Structures are given as structure tokens and as C-alpha cells.
């Protein structure tokens, strides 16, 4: 466990030299910033919106439509590829493998860094949603929204979307570990992202793991009513992709 913690700390420091950290922060605040500007421009509607019984849920759904369908799957594909490709970019795989740590430790330390960054993204995104909900009221002297913050709603929604992101993360990690060229996992992620949008209305679209965030959003707004265990499928895909990725990594003859 101590070796894993040291390895994780090392990998966490490495990611500061990549664009992945900037991508997490910029991606988390982009949609809330757009909503904030829109509210400031259309401030005449703030008073009516603030007394809505579903103020925070409506704000969340407004932010999730572009995030779940477009930005989240694409952002995960880019961030996971950037983190994993650091060793290829710096030509340091051989140096890493000479350190006193097992391949298992290296593999899961890198994967954990990406998972923690995903958690970091959701935390920042929720902060952005909250700020976009109160700053316009403060600017124009309008009362604080009457609806109490529905903490259980936000915890549940964030947890579900986190689960739905896992297969995308694991598959991008798998592809990134196998190819030296950064463009390969990125192009693969973009292609899957486009495919996921195309299959949202297809009855078998739930078999495409990149579609889960979009399907979860559609379910939340009542536009997807099939009794499909999306979150269970997401966890299943995540486990399968992670196991395959691990087997390929430890058995790869030339690791960098």
C-alpha cells in the first residue's frame, strides 16, 4: 500500500506538466460560465426563476444537456489520453519500469490519477453550477432562491454520471497504453463520441458505452423510458475494459 501511495503521488505530480489539469478546470467551469452570462444578460427573468420549486434541479438539467451529451465524453477521452501518453511523450517508460515498483502498481496508480481527476471535475462542476445560480441574484439584488439545495438529488446525480463515465475512461486508458501516437486514442475517442450521439435514439444504443451519459440525461428529463440498467452496464464495461487493459499492459513485450 505504501508503494502504491508513493507511485500515485509521483503520477499526480507528473500530470501537472500536462494540459489535462487545465482541461479539467476549464471543462468543469465552461458550461456554468455560459449559464452565468446568459442569466446576467436575461436578468429580467431572475425573479420568477428564483421562486421556482425546482430551481436547482432545472439549473442542473440546463447544464447537463450540453455537458452529458457533448463535453463530458469528449473531455474524458482527451484527459485520459493526455495523462497516459505522458510517458510516451517524454520517452520515460523504460526509466519508469526500472523503478522499484511492480507493473501492477504502475498500472493502477496511473488509472487512479485519472479517476481522481474525474472526481475533481465533478466537484468543480458543482461549484460552478452553484455560483451560476447565486451570482446573478447578488448582482441584481434579487433574493436567494427559495428552494433549499437538494443535496440528495445532487449526490445521486453526480454518482450516476460518475459511473456512466467509467467505461469511457477505462477504454481510453486501454487504447492510450497500447499506442505511442497520441492521435490514435484521441481519434478513437472522437469517433466513439460521434457514434454515441448517433445512437442515442436507437433501441440498442445502450450497448455503446460512450452513450451512457447522454442516455442518463435523457432519462432524467423523461425522454428515455426504457428499463435498461445503464449504470450496471457501465460498471460491467469498466471492469471488462480494465481487466483487458491490465492483461495487455503486463504482457506487452515492449513497454515504451
Amino acid at each position: 500500500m505504501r508503494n502504491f501511495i508513493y507511485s500515485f503521488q509521483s503520477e499526480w505530480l507528473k500530470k501537472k506538466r500536462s494540459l489535462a489539469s487545465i482541461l479539467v478546470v476549464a471543462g468543469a467551469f465552461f458550461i456554468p460560465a455560459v449559464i452565468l452570462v446568459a442569466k446576467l444578460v436575461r436578468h429580467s427573468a431572475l425573479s420568477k426563476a428564483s421562486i421556482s420549486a425546482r430551481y436547482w434541479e432545472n439549473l442542473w438539467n440546463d447544464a447537463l444537456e450540453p455537458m452529458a451529451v457533448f463535453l463530458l465524453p469528449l473531455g474524458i477521452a482527451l484527459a485520459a489520453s493526455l495523462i497516459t501518453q505522458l510517458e510516451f511523450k517524454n520517452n520515460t517508460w523504460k526509466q519508469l519500469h526500472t523503478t522499484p515498483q511492480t507493473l501492477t502498481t504502475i498500472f493502477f496508480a496511473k488509472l487512479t490519477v485519472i479517476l481522481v481527476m474525474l472526481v475533481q471535475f465533478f466537484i468543480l462542476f458543482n461549484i460552478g453550477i452553484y455560483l451560476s445560480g447565486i451570482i446573478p441574484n447578488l448582482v441584481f439584488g434579487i433574493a436567494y432562491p427559495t428552494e433549499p439545495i437538494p443535496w440528495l438529488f445532487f449526490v445521486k446525480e453526480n454518482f450516476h454520471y460518475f459511473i456512466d463515465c467509467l467505461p469511457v475512461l477505462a477504454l481510453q486508458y486501454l487504447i492510450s497504453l497500447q499506442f505511442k501516437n497520441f492521435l490514435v486514442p484521441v481519434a478513437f475517442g472522437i469517433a466513439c463520441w460521434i457514434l454515441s450521439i448517433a445512437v442515442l435514439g436507437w433501441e440498442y444504443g445502450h450497448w455503446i458505452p460512450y452513450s451512457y451519459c447522454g442516455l442518463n440525461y435523457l432519462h432524467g428529463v423523461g425522454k428515455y423510458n426504457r428499463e435498461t440498467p445503464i449504470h450496471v452496464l457501465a460498471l460491467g464495461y469498466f471492469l471488462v475494459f480494465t481487466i483487458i487493459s491490465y492483461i495487455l499492459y503486463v504482457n506487452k513485450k515492449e513497454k515504451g
Side-chain angles (χ1 to χ4, degrees):
M1 178 59 72
R2 181 178 298 178
N3 287 340
F4 177 81
I5 293 174
Y6 290 153
S7 182
F8 172 82
Q9 291 174 337
S10 175
E11 296 298 332
W12 187 259
L13 290 174
K14 289 179 187 177
K15 66 99 180 173
K16 292 183 177 180
R17 293 176 289 179
S18 75
L19 292 175
S21 297
I22 299 175
L23 185 64
V24 168
V25 177
F29 286 112
F30 178 72
I31 297 300
V34 172
I35 292 176
L36 174 60
V37 172
K39 282 180 170 288
L40 292 174
V41 172
R42 303 172 183 174
H43 58 273
S44 59
L46 290 177
S47 297
K48 183 178 179 181
S50 295
I51 61 175
S52 170
R54 292 178 54 84
Y55 177 82
W56 295 108
E57 290 91 335
N58 293 335
L59 187 61
W60 171 262
N61 287 328
D62 288 343
L64 256 294
E65 182 174 6
M67 182 62 72
V69 178
F70 298 102
L71 298 184
L72 194 52
L74 185 60
I76 293 173
L78 290 174
S81 301
L82 284 167
I83 291 297
T84 312
Q85 288 283 318
L86 281 175
E87 307 299 344
F88 288 122
K89 177 183 177 182
N90 300 321
N91 197 27
T92 53
W93 271 116
K94 292 182 179 179
Q95 179 181 348
L96 178 61
H97 290 139
T98 60
T99 57
Q101 52 184 333
T102 65
L103 296 177
T104 300
T105 298
I106 294 173
F107 176 87
F108 284 103
K110 286 183 174 294
L111 179 59
T112 303
V113 166
I114 304 174
L115 287 169
V116 172
M117 289 179 67
L118 182 58
V119 173
Q120 184 182 43
F121 169 85
F122 277 105
I123 292 173
L124 294 176
F125 179 66
N126 280 267
I127 292 174
I129 292 296
Y130 176 73
L131 293 176
S132 70
I134 64 168
I135 288 178
N137 291 38
L138 294 175
V139 170
F140 293 102
I142 298 172
Y144 190 85
T146 56
E147 183 200 16
I149 297 178
W151 296 105
L152 290 179
F153 170 82
F154 281 113
V155 170
K156 178 183 176 181
E157 288 294 300
N158 279 273
F159 178 72
H160 284 167
Y161 279 102
F162 177 81
I163 295 298
D164 295 336
C165 290
L166 293 181
V168 179
L169 186 153
L171 187 53
Q172 289 297 142
Y173 187 54
L174 186 160
I175 300 297
S176 299
L177 284 174
Q178 299 304 312
F179 295 94
K180 295 181 181 180
N181 191 334
F182 170 73
L183 294 178
V184 174
V186 172
F188 178 84
I190 293 175
C192 290
W193 167 65
I194 295 174
L195 176 63
S196 71
I197 297 175
V199 303
L200 283 179
W202 186 38
E203 61 178 321
Y204 298 110
H206 58 271
W207 293 113
I208 309 298
Y210 283 68
S211 68
Y212 291 159
C213 288
L215 291 177
N216 191 27
Y217 168 77
L218 292 176
H219 178 75
V221 295
K223 296 181 180 180
Y224 181 81
N225 299 316
R226 298 189 184 96
E227 296 298 326
T228 305
I230 296 174
H231 312 309
V232 175
L233 288 174
L235 285 174
Y237 271 122
F238 173 70
L239 291 174
V240 170
F241 292 152
T242 300
I243 292 171
I244 294 175
S245 180
Y246 174 75
I247 292 173
L248 291 175
Y249 172 69
V250 297
N251 290 287
K252 190 177 182 181
K253 293 182 179 179
E254 184 181 354
K255 298 181 177 66

